[in-house]
């Protein structure tokens, strides 16, 4: 004879005693897979810049793939430090992520007297996101050189030297320009602007002689013939500028400098969430449509494991530390 637990409690032990017993254990409910609510994507730069545009492309595709909104929140300022700090200090639950640039992860620790976050401890990479080269561009109306060798000779012979523009102190264009002039013995003066939107008009007016700036900003003026692209800083020729040589091909070896960005969580996010996010970025970034959209903006969509992203940031830190030292740049 089988007696139910309910019958046993109700008749043998009595109702008052039964009320004091814990309920039967319910089957464990499976946790909903990540993400089960909107994900905040903190962009450490203003709307409309290359980092913002590329982050929005990925966020849009991640939202479609994973079925939850990926909501962009711009937190610009202090060379990206405000946004990077906001990412680093968010809850480690997988619902805050953001694009962490080479500046925020591998350069700013040597450039600024102090940072509000620790780039090596407070940021947990998901995957590499994109990379783009810098391009050495000169204004066609004001600089006669049509190749890098001629430009170097022209710059060395120019009374008082040359000046070069960048989107700000400590940016990869600034540090690339400093490395270029120092290595080649060119007398060069850095002229910082607030982004390529100011640098390009100064170049076209002849107020600045050259820039080693992010390619994405210069594609339209190069295509229009207003600027000459003399070399790119990638290891290989850039797909959208197949006639422009690399620095090595143009006569300046060991000058591979790319601006890059990784998607990252704050440290401490569970490995299973990081892996799911990394896999989603891989599937999104490797589609031909996404590759094409990135190239048209002047960048290349890339993917890596979290470990590979961390290794790249660590590998480049000694180079950037030395370049910052040579440039003399220092910010509070």
């Amino acid at each position: 004879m089988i007696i139910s637990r309910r019958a046993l409690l109700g008749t043998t032990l009595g109702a008052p005693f039964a009320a004091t017993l814990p309920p039967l254990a319910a089957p464990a409910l499976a946790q909903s897979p990540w993400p089960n609510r909107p994900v905040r994507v903190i962009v450490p730069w203003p709307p409309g810049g290359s980092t913002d545009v590329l982050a929005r492309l990925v966020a849009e595709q991640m939202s479609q793939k994973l079925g939850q909104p990926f909501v962009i929140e711009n937190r610009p300022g202090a060379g990206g430090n405000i946004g990077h700090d906001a990412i680093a200090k968010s809850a480690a639950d997988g619902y805050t992520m953001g694009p962490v640039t080479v500046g925020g992860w591998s350069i700013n620790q040597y450039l600024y007297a102090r940072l509000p976050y620790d780039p090596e401890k407070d940021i947990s990479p998901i995957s590499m996101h994109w990379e783009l080269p810098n391009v050495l561009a000169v204004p066609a109306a004001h600089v006669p050189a049509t190749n890098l060798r001629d430009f170097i000779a022209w710059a060395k012979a120019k009374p008082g030297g040359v000046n070069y523009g960048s989107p700000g102190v400590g940016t990869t264009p600034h540090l690339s320009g400093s490395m270029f002039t120092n290595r080649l013995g060119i007398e060069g003066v850095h002229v910082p602007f607030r982004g390529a939107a100011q640098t390009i008009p100064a170049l076209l007016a002849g107020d600045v002689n050259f820039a080693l700036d992010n390619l994405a900003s210069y594609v339209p003026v190069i295509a229009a013939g207003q600027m000459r692209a003399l070399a790119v800083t990638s290891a290989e020729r850039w797909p959208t500028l197949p006639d422009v040589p690399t620095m090595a091909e143009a006569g300046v070896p060991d000058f591979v400098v790319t601006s890059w960005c990784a998607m990252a969580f704050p440290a401490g996010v569970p490995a299973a969430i990081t892996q799911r996010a990394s896999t989603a970025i891989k599937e999104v970034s490797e589609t031909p449509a996404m590759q094409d959209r990135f190239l048209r903006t002047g960048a290349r969509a890339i993917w890596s494991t979290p470990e590979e992203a961390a290794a790249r940031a660590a590998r480049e830190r000694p180079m950037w530390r030395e370049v910052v030292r040579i440039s003399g740049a220092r910010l509070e």
Side-chain angles (χ1 to χ4, degrees):
M1 177 179 180
I2 300 175
I3 302 176
S4 71
R5 184 173 188 267
R6 180 176 179 181
L8 181 62
L9 293 176
T11 59
T12 308
L13 299 179
F17 185 79
T20 67
L21 292 177
L24 287 171
L29 295 176
Q31 291 186 339
S32 300
W34 177 91
N36 57 24
R37 55 186 170 89
V39 178
R40 182 173 60 153
V41 182
I42 295 177
V43 177
W45 303 98
S50 58
T51 302
D52 175 74
V53 170
L54 297 173
R56 288 175 188 273
L57 285 178
V58 169
E60 173 190 318
Q61 295 301 308
M62 292 277 281
S63 178
Q64 292 181 16
K65 185 170 191 63
L66 297 175
Q68 290 291 339
F70 279 66
V71 183
I72 298 291
E73 179 182 320
N74 295 92
R75 300 283 290 274
N81 291 339
I82 292 174
H84 290 126
D85 184 50
I87 295 168
K89 292 179 179 172
S90 296
D93 57 7
Y95 289 92
T96 299
M97 62 192 297
V100 178
T101 62
V102 59
W105 213 12
S106 295
I107 297 176
N108 287 359
Q109 59 191 309
Y110 309 116
L111 179 66
Y112 286 81
R114 56 190 171 275
L115 290 182
Y117 64 98
D118 187 325
E120 299 182 46
K121 295 180 180 178
D122 296 341
I123 289 172
S124 179
I126 301 168
S127 165
M128 295 303 294
H129 177 199
W130 55 259
E131 68 176 345
L132 57 85
N134 290 337
V135 60
L136 197 153
V138 299
H142 302 285
V143 175
T146 57
N147 59 63
L148 190 61
R149 290 184 186 277
D150 288 348
F151 173 74
I152 293 169
W154 177 82
K156 287 183 175 182
K158 188 174 184 297
V162 295
N163 50 36
Y164 59 96
S166 87
V169 174
T171 59
T172 59
H174 167 212
L175 298 176
S176 296
S178 174
M179 183 163 60
F180 178 78
T181 54
N182 277 278
R183 181 180 295 183
L184 294 167
I186 296 171
E187 185 179 348
V189 176
H190 174 228
V191 182
F193 294 92
R194 293 183 178 178
Q198 291 185 359
T199 309
I200 290 173
L203 281 159
L204 296 177
D207 298 329
V208 179
N209 302 125
F210 80 99
L212 251 170
D213 208 339
N214 295 161
L215 171 62
S217 302
Y218 286 73
V219 170
V221 287
I222 291 171
Q226 295 173 291
M227 295 271 195
R228 294 194 191 99
L230 303 186
V232 291
T233 62
S234 47
E236 300 175 348
R237 294 197 181 200
W238 198 248
T240 57
L241 293 175
D243 296 330
V244 178
T246 65
M247 279 286 193
E249 290 173 331
V252 182
D254 301 320
F255 203 108
V256 177
V257 178
T258 59
S259 294
W260 52 259
C261 182
M263 274 292 180
F265 285 131
V269 169
I273 292 177
T274 299
Q275 183 57 52
R276 180 164 167 76
S278 181
T279 299
I281 290 174
K282 181 178 191 294
E283 292 172 352
V284 163
S285 65
E286 291 185 346
T287 64
M290 184 62 82
Q291 291 282 328
D292 180 66
R293 290 179 75 180
F294 268 63
L295 279 175
R296 282 190 279 114
T297 66
R300 175 183 285 139
I302 57 176
W303 177 85
S304 74
T305 66
E307 295 77 16
E308 289 167 343
R312 178 168 184 173
R315 184 172 62 250
E316 291 194 7
R317 285 187 185 114
M319 177 192 76
W320 288 117
R321 181 174 59 232
E322 180 62 12
V323 173
V324 169
R325 185 193 68 78
I326 291 171
S327 74
R330 192 68 171 167
L331 294 171
E332 294 297 326

